């Protein structure tokens, strides 16, 4: 049974560009959350989507947006990239909107140059 | 505002001994606590969780203890194995999100 899959695994972008990251949750899971992890810190919450609706948003600027599709996969979009957006972006999947068990993908390493 | 703190950046333990990883939190509204293990270039792997209404949960070599009055939880790994060497994150659930600590690097020496 496939776990949480994210694509791409690595990405290099230039300042000012935009990026789209993708996530497929575990089969049967309806909740997808996005986290940003910078070196030396724990993951920081960006968004949660459940049943295709945004259920929560962290303290990130409006340049960050996301959506969830009918098959529960999700995209995270970041516009006008800054050097500080360089990080590991993690997607977490859970069966409910509550985070009693959340399973993470391997992440997308984004480097902004 | 760090609501979840892991005050030990690293821990070194001999193989076969107990590893104890600690976590403190400030928000009494957290309702679930989770521990994750992370290897380099991989996503966090879920290990074990505990509801705020319990004080202990055990799964194989992993036991999590919760002391609500002290706002403290700990993860015990017994016996520790070299493959346990990784970064361990404590996370607390509040509504739709998990709040993570900064992690503790565990090194298990053989």
């Amino acid at each position: 049974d496939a776990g949480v899959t994210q694509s791409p695994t690595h990405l290099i972008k230039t300042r000012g560009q935009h990026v789209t990251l993708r996530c497929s949750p575990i089969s049967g899971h309806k909740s997808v959350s996005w986290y940003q992890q910078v070196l030396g810190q724990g993951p920081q919450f960006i968004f949660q989507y459940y049943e295709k609706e945004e259920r929560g948003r962290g303290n990130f600027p409006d340049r960050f947006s996301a959506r969830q599709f009918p098959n529960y996969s999700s995209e995270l979009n970041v516009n006008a990239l800054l050097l500080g957006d360089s990080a590991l972006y993690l997607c977490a999947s859970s069966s409910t909107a509550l985070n009693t068990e959340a399973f993470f993908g391997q992440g997308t390493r984004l480097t902004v140059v | 505002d760090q609501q979840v703190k892991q005050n030990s950046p690293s821990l070194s333990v001999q193989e076969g001994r107990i590893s104890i990883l600690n976590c403190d939190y400030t928000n009494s509204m957290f309702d679930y606590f989770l521990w994750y293990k992370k290897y380099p270039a991989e996503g966090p792997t879920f290990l074990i969780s505990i509801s705020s209404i319990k004080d202990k949960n055990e799964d194989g070599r992993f036991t999590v203890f919760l002391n609500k009055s002290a706002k403290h939880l700990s993860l015990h790994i017994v016996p520790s194995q070299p493959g346990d060497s990784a970064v361990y994150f404590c996370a607390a659930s509040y509504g739709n999100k998990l709040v993570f600590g900064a992690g503790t690097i565990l090194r298990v020496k053989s």
Side-chain angles (χ1 to χ4, degrees):
Chain A
D1 213 5
V4 181
T5 57
Q6 292 186 243
S7 63
T9 53
H10 295 85
L11 203 50
I12 300 175
K13 289 286 192 177
T14 304
R15 273 180 303 174
Q17 286 189 315
H18 121 275
V19 68
T20 298
L21 310 180
R22 294 178 175 84
C23 172
S24 293
I26 292 169
S27 177
H29 283 193
K30 299 179 179 179
S31 171
V32 169
S33 299
W34 288 95
Y35 290 81
Q36 180 196 65
Q37 186 183 14
V38 299
L39 200 61
Q41 296 182 20
Q44 299 287 316
F45 173 74
I46 310 175
F47 286 108
Q48 187 203 36
Y49 277 77
Y50 179 72
E51 287 279 23
K52 291 153 279 181
E53 290 186 3
E54 182 183 303
R55 291 296 190 97
R57 172 185 282 257
N59 189 22
F60 280 81
D62 291 345
R63 301 183 295 107
F64 288 76
S65 63
R67 54 181 175 166
Q68 187 176 35
F69 298 100
N71 66 354
Y72 302 110
S73 67
S74 177
E75 282 181 356
L76 175 69
N77 294 284
V78 187
N79 292 324
L81 285 166
L82 304 173
L83 296 179
D85 295 331
S86 297
L88 180 68
Y89 288 84
L90 295 161
C91 171
S93 155
S94 49
S95 56
T96 71
L98 301 176
N99 291 295
T100 55
E101 259 187 7
F103 299 90
F104 284 84
Q106 84 282 6
T108 294
R109 171 69 63 186
L110 172 65
T111 302
V112 182
V113 296
Chain B
D1 177 23
Q2 274 193 293
Q3 298 186 70
V4 177
K5 287 186 181 179
Q6 294 177 255
N7 290 317
S8 299
S10 65
L11 175 68
S12 188
V13 169
Q14 198 68 35
E15 181 181 6
R17 298 288 183 96
I18 184 171
S19 295
I20 300 176
L21 298 138
N22 294 304
C23 179
D24 297 300
Y25 63 96
T26 56
N27 190 340
S28 57
M29 298 299 290
F30 289 139
D31 53 7
Y32 245 85
F33 301 90
L34 302 86
W35 283 94
Y36 287 87
K37 175 172 74 173
K38 188 178 184 301
Y39 295 119
E42 293 185 15
T45 300
F46 171 76
L47 287 174
I48 191 168
S49 65
I50 186 167
S51 164
S52 61
I53 62 172
K54 297 192 173 181
D55 54 21
K56 178 182 175 181
N57 190 25
E58 194 171 351
D59 185 0
R61 296 187 299 115
F62 302 95
T63 303
V64 57
F65 295 92
L66 176 62
N67 182 335
K68 282 190 71 176
S69 60
K71 293 192 174 69
H72 176 84
L73 66 154
S74 60
L75 174 69
H76 293 210
I77 306 174
V78 183
S80 301
Q81 300 171 353
D84 295 330
S85 297
V87 180
Y88 286 77
F89 290 99
C90 163
S93 176
Y94 179 54
N96 318 94
K97 68 179 181 181
L98 293 174
V99 180
F100 282 83
T104 297
I105 300 170
L106 173 66
R107 295 186 185 91
V108 180
K109 299 176 288 186
S110 56

